[in-house]
Amino acid sequence: MAYDPGALESALAAAVGDDPALVTELRAAFVGSIVAHADAMKRARSDADWQAAAWRLKGVAASFGATRLMAVAQGAAEARTGDADTLRRIDRSIASLCG
C-alpha cells in the first residue's frame, strides 16, 4: 500500500465537514491515538500486548485512510514482540503523517 497524503485530510473533512477547528481537533486526537498505540507497543512485555497495540494502531490508521501506517501496523502484528526495526518503521510512518 502506498501513502496517500490527501487521504487523511479527506477523511478528516468527511468526518466533520468544512469546519477547520473541528478538523484540527480531530487531527490532534488522531495523532494522540496513534502515538499512544505506538508507545504501548514499545512498552509491550508480552506477545498479546504487542499484537493488541498493533491491531489498534492499524484500526485507527484504517479509519483515517493512513494506508502506509496501516500496512506498517499489519506487519508489526506479525513481527516479533519488541522488534526494533518494526518500531522504527512505525515511528517514521507517524512522523510522515505529522509532517
Side-chain angles (χ1 to χ4, degrees), residues 25-96:
E25 187 176 332
L26 190 55
R27 174 184 272 287
F30 168 71
V31 170
S33 181
I34 61 176
V35 168
H37 294 313
D39 185 56
M41 290 184 71
K42 292 172 185 169
R43 292 181 289 109
R45 298 293 177 245
S46 71
D47 292 344
D49 290 344
W50 171 270
Q51 288 181 337
W55 287 118
R56 287 184 187 112
L57 181 61
K58 180 183 176 187
V60 172
S63 295
F64 287 90
T67 56
R68 178 175 176 216
L69 180 58
M70 193 172 76
V72 171
Q74 171 69 42
E78 299 166 1
R80 182 176 41 86
T81 298
D83 182 68
D85 189 48
T86 297
L87 292 170
R88 279 190 296 276
R89 281 194 299 275
I90 289 169
D91 286 344
R92 281 193 305 265
S93 185
I94 290 171
S96 74

